[in-house]
């Protein structure tokens, strides 16, 4: 719904501000969350799921995307009574005639019929990436983890031009191991790795030091589309290095 917030309405939330917004509200009547859990739900890698069943990046990615669009998320939850999420995004004051049609992507980002295999265990992230790539003219295959990706590969007889894979996944196979397996099947396969900032994991895999194509999470859709097109055209993504607990673009002297 469209809402107009004044200073009084935003007093209880440091991220909120006055103005015109579109509010998306999602509510359930599930188990709810305790205060300690509620205070950490947007922290990267925080999860209440069992080991190997969740990476804790779903809500942190959503939070990052909403903030990049100058909005914020409000959550109310009570144990045993469910949760309510409200996503506030700024309403545009431009007339429809001045808005860019969403069904006419820039030519620089458009696909040329290539096939992309997206491997991501967070359903919301995977769906968003696949939707954006399909709208740009790519054929998209998807999998939730490494072993499933290999089955998808075999089913499609290796008809994959680029692998977009998360680095940290369940079911006993990480992104590096998956890429190694598929490159052995097709040495010409292009690869883009993605991950939330986790210096320990990145150092352990030693992938950043090998000049790989790496897209840090949370990424926005224009960055994803640009990275995919650049990689398919034989270019290299900007290099990243690990500093002070964050993955940052590497600079040269």
């Amino acid at each position: 719904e469209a809402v107009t917030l004044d200073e009084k309405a935003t007093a209880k939330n440091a991220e909120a501000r006055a103005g015109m917004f579109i509010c998306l509200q999602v509510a359930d009547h599930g188990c709810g969350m305790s205060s300690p859990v509620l205070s950490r739900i947007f922290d990267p890698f925080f999860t209440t799921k069992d080991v190997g069943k969740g990476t804790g990046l779903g809500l942190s990615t959503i939070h990052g995307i909403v903030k990049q669009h100058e909005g914020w998320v409000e959550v109310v939850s009570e144990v045993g009574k469910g949760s309510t999420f409200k996503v506030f995004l700024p309403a545009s004051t431009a007339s429809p005639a001045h808005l860019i049609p969403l069904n006419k992507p820039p030519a620089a980002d458009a696909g040329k019929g290539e096939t992309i295999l997206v491997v991501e265990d967070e359903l919301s992230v995977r769906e968003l990436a696949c939707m954006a790539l399909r709208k740009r003219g790519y054929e998209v295959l998807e999998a939730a983890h490494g072993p499933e990706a290999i089955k998808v590969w075999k089913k499609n007889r290796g008809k994959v031009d680029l692998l977009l894979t998360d680095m940290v996944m369940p079911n006993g196979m990480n992104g590096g191991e998956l890429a190694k397996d598929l490159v052995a099947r097709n040495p010409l396969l292009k690869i883009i790795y993605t991950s939330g900032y986790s210096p320990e994991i990145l150092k352990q895999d030693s992938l950043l030091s090998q000049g790989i194509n790496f897209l840090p999470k949370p990424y926005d859709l224009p960055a994803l589309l640009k990275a995919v097109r650049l990689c398919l055209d034989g270019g290299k993504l900007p290099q990243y290095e690990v500093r002070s607990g964050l993955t940052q673009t590497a600079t040269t002297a």
Side-chain angles (χ1 to χ4, degrees):
E1 63 176 344
V3 296
T4 300
L5 304 178
D6 56 21
E7 296 294 341
K8 183 178 180 180
T10 62
K12 295 182 179 181
N13 188 335
E15 292 185 327
R17 63 186 186 279
M20 295 176 58
F21 298 88
I22 301 300
C23 176
L24 169 65
Q25 177 174 301
V26 181
D28 65 50
H29 301 287
C31 61
M33 293 176 282
S34 64
S35 294
V37 171
L38 188 60
S39 67
R40 297 190 61 194
I41 59 172
F42 296 123
D43 292 351
F45 300 103
F46 173 74
T47 179
T48 58
K49 296 179 181 178
D50 295 335
V51 175
K53 294 187 177 181
T55 61
L57 284 172
L59 286 176
S60 64
T61 300
I62 291 171
H63 187 256
I65 292 172
V66 172
K67 290 194 69 174
Q68 287 171 351
H69 288 79
E70 300 180 355
W72 69 92
V73 183
E74 295 182 357
V75 189
V76 176
S77 185
E78 187 175 347
V79 175
K81 294 186 177 181
S83 306
T84 299
F85 284 73
K86 291 184 177 181
V87 178
F88 291 87
L89 295 170
S92 173
T93 57
S95 65
H98 294 89
L99 299 179
I100 300 173
L102 295 180
N103 60 348
K104 294 183 180 179
D109 291 341
K112 302 173 184 177
E114 298 98 336
T115 300
I116 315 296
L117 174 56
V118 178
V119 188
E120 168 63 60
D121 60 301
E122 286 289 344
L123 178 61
S124 59
V125 179
R126 187 173 73 250
E127 288 183 337
L128 193 63
C130 290
M131 177 186 67
L133 290 167
R134 289 187 177 112
K135 284 187 175 182
R136 288 301 192 269
Y138 295 102
E139 183 176 343
V140 181
L141 307 173
E142 54 183 291
H145 48 74
E148 183 180 357
I150 293 176
K151 290 182 180 179
V152 171
W153 175 283
K154 292 179 178 178
K155 183 178 179 180
N156 290 272
R157 300 180 181 180
K159 188 190 69 172
V160 176
D161 299 291
L162 184 145
L163 169 68
L164 174 67
T165 179
D166 194 6
M167 293 176 70
V168 183
M169 296 183 292
N171 290 63
M173 177 179 282
N174 63 31
E177 292 166 338
L178 171 63
K180 184 177 180 180
D181 183 288
L182 297 186
V183 167
R185 303 166 190 261
N186 177 13
L188 298 178
L189 179 67
K190 303 292 180 64
I191 302 170
I192 296 178
Y193 297 92
T194 69
S195 180
Y197 62 87
S198 178
E200 292 79 10
I201 293 174
L202 298 181
K203 288 178 180 177
Q204 177 181 338
D205 285 350
S206 299
L207 287 171
L208 293 185
S209 62
Q210 299 176 18
I212 67 162
N213 285 319
F214 178 73
L215 184 64
K217 291 181 180 178
Y219 51 76
D220 58 28
L221 296 183
L224 169 64
L225 295 169
K226 181 179 179 181
V228 167
R229 187 68 263 160
L230 182 63
C231 185
L232 285 170
D233 290 340
K236 297 292 294 183
L237 274 62
Q239 294 300 296
Y240 292 84
E241 61 183 8
V242 176
R243 295 185 304 191
S244 304
L246 295 173
T247 306
Q248 303 175 343
T249 304
T251 58
T252 53

